[in-house]
Amino acid sequence: MSQAHSFSLAAETTDILTSLGVAPERLRGGTRTARSPITGEALAQVHDDTQADATAVIARAHAAFLQWRLLPAPKRGELVRLLGEELRANKAALGRLVSIEAGKIVSEGLGEVQEMIDICDFAVGLSRQLYGLTIATERAEHRMMETWHPLGVTGVISAFNFPVAVWAWNAAIALVCGNSVVWKPSEKTPLTALATDALLARALQRFRGEAPDGLAGLLLGGRAVGEMLVDDARVPLVSATGSTAMGRVVGACLAGRFARAILELGGNNAAIVTPTADLDLTLRAVAFAAMGTAGQRCTSLRRLFVHADVYEQLVPRLKQAYASVAIGNPLEQGTLIGPLIDRGAYDAMQDALSAAKDHGGRVFGGERVSVGGLNEAYYVRPALVEIAAQAGPVERETFAPILYVMPYRDLDAAIELHNAVPQGLSSSIFTNDLREAELFVSSRGSDCGIANVNIGPSGAEIGGAFGGEKETGGGRESGSDSWKAYMRRATNTVNYGRSLPLAQGVKFDLG
Ligand code: NAD
């Protein structure tokens, strides 16, 4: 653990931001304080956008869309390729900034930028594959096909815990699809957003003016600014990532004006450990999935069902891992658990633990840990809670490192409990029994958008398409066929014959 705090992250942050091309005036004089959860210190004073700003940014994005959609898709892909190059060249700096602003350990900060690079690669290939089907038609000498067209301005609202990757998952795809993009990042992470915007500006400059002005806009601010994006009729699609509470409001507003929504929301993710599981592998996977990123991933493992026959072999070892995990400054080598994002997250964790005790839970860990004597930073020991029944806080997502462990005897009953919470995003089974594994991924098994075997639930590959929150019907960003959500489908029928088949009995006398 760190010694007394003796460094300032503010100066380094300003250096990184200016080296990436962010204008100094964007970092001072504003009303919103950007902080690092590592030390709790203020890093910059950024400016919130107003309603007038939002209106202007969206208007420019709409005008840009009308031009951008005319460029051939592979040409649009060239811009995304250049963005990927900028990200590659600046991976270390942007990754470090993610660690400073979101509190992730160094490898996770860099990993987040790598995901941005990966989705750029994916989108460049996709720009040559935006294909529709040719469909057999009932009419003679006709051909029927589906064509995919650009949709319009794509609004992106993102959460603090993936401050930049979420934008890239959406923007890279939206841009090759022919859309413009307006981004409202989390109010807790405006600096990484400014840095990303500056890198995109460099890519646009290298694209040599072939992209219209306003193609990608950035709106800084809190919930109110997000609402401006959601309410604007010129935005036909909003991809919103965050809590289910946010998604419930945003989804209803978008439905109210018949706009499309991609909702990537919270998860109360679970894993089942069966008697045949490889317990060494399970231990590593569970410890990483539950404690990694200080439990602040949408796919963090939060509930663990352990078969009674292996409970005593697994759970005491897990408790040991919890007691010994390295907590501290995420910028230091060897740290596995960094800070919670802020005091609100700490309070929510303590509330959940005290509610768990009220429900008969036995809590191990969960206490605040002093790191370098920093009073404004919130470091905690991850908590493991042994609890007999799935009730109270076990049934909701607390965005902090709490793992509820429950014994089970019957797999069907465990799967039923697994599926009995509304927020299902990602899930796992640990087993060497083929039947159990196949059951878990079958229609009778996990009801989540991600169902894994012998690998933890946390994290997802962009190629497989992210998300799948069951409460919302399953948002999907990035890979697989998610691109279709960013485009509109038209069916075209072409008559290459000389007759015009009409419905039976219909006659026109055209003289
Ligand atoms: P949050 O819901 O508090 O905020 C997310 C974003 O929504 C922020 O930019 C916020 O300003 C905006 N927002 C909030 N209310 C809004 C409204 N009414 N209209 C428009 N915008 C609004 O979430 P958070 O605390 O930043 O992030 C943590 C949550 O995000 C967790 O629940 C986590 O599981 C979830 N998450 C999900 C995914 C996923 O892909 N499924 C990924 C990352 C995070």
Side-chain angles (χ1 to χ4, degrees), residues 89-432:
N90 296 285
K91 180 176 169 180
L94 186 58
R96 176 103 180 156
L97 197 60
V98 169
S99 289
I100 291 173
E101 195 176 38
K104 294 186 176 192
I105 61 173
V106 172
S107 58
E108 288 184 326
L110 293 171
E112 175 151 359
V113 183
Q114 187 58 46
E115 286 203 24
M116 302 173 84
I117 294 167
D118 292 344
I119 194 65
C120 286
D121 287 354
F122 180 98
V124 173
L126 180 68
S127 71
R128 292 182 182 272
Q129 301 179 66
L130 301 170
Y131 46 78
L133 297 170
T134 300
I135 303 154
T137 157
E138 65 194 35
R139 300 175 177 98
E141 298 185 308
H142 282 59
R143 185 167 63 82
M144 186 162 65
M145 61 187 177
E146 58 176 29
T147 313
W148 291 88
H149 294 301
L151 187 63
V153 181
T154 300
V156 179
I157 294 174
S158 57
F160 79 83
N161 68 317
F162 275 98
V164 285
V166 167
W167 171 81
W169 297 335
N170 285 285
I173 304 292
L175 287 171
V176 299
C177 287
N179 299 342
S180 53
V181 181
V182 177
W183 180 21
K184 206 300 279 177
S186 166
E187 54 274 42
K188 296 176 184 175
T189 54
L191 302 181
T192 40
L194 285 167
T196 302
D197 192 51
L199 290 178
L200 177 64
R202 285 186 184 169
L204 283 162
Q205 208 167 19
R206 287 173 60 204
F207 197 58
R208 295 187 207 289
E210 288 187 80
D213 278 353
L215 180 64
L218 176 65
L219 293 175
L220 295 185
R223 176 188 172 141
V225 177
E227 285 169 354
M228 295 169 199
L229 195 55
V230 169
D231 289 340
D232 198 302
R234 291 163 300 182
V235 183
L237 165 67
V238 175
S239 173
T241 300
S243 57
T244 46
M246 177 278 288
R248 201 162 277 122
V249 178
V250 166
C253 291
L254 291 170
R257 63 177 180 87
F258 294 130
R260 279 194 212 170
I262 298 175
L263 298 175
E264 296 278 9
L265 306 178
N268 190 357
N269 315 295
I272 297 176
V273 184
T274 79
T276 63
D278 174 335
L279 292 184
D280 289 335
L281 179 149
T282 304
L283 179 71
R284 285 197 303 276
V286 166
F288 175 74
M291 292 193 281
T293 327
Q296 297 171 113
R297 278 183 182 227
C298 51
T299 50
S300 288
L301 178 60
R302 310 205 180 277
R303 297 174 295 140
L304 186 67
F305 299 98
V306 185
H307 194 278
D309 288 354
V310 289
Y311 194 94
E312 286 308 322
Q313 293 167 56
L314 180 70
V315 178
R317 288 174 71 194
L318 203 49
K319 283 189 203 159
Q320 264 173 26
Y322 269 67
S324 61
V325 70
I327 304 158
N329 180 345
L331 300 173
E332 284 176 5
Q333 284 292 330
T335 298
L336 286 175
I337 313 287
L340 294 177
I341 189 70
D342 55 20
R343 178 175 186 133
Y346 173 74
D347 289 344
M349 179 176 180
Q350 299 311 312
D351 288 351
L353 291 177
S354 102
K357 282 182 194 156
D358 293 344
H359 282 84
R362 288 191 297 144
V363 176
F364 301 86
E367 69 278 8
R368 193 166 172 194
V369 173
S370 170
V371 172
L374 294 160
N375 294 327
E376 297 303 319
Y378 291 86
Y379 291 82
V380 287
R381 180 157 299 284
L384 186 153
V385 181
E386 289 186 278
I387 194 160
Q390 178 162 276
V394 191
E395 293 177 319
R396 48 180 191 263
E397 179 198 50
T398 301
F399 212 55
I402 304 176
L403 180 66
Y404 300 103
V405 183
M406 291 159 279
Y408 81 90
R409 278 244 163 249
D410 173 60
L411 182 58
D412 285 330
I415 291 176
E416 204 171 304
L417 279 173
H418 173 281
N419 291 346
V421 298
Q423 333 76 355
L425 178 61
S426 188
S427 59
S428 301
I429 191 167
F430 291 91
T431 181
N432 278 333

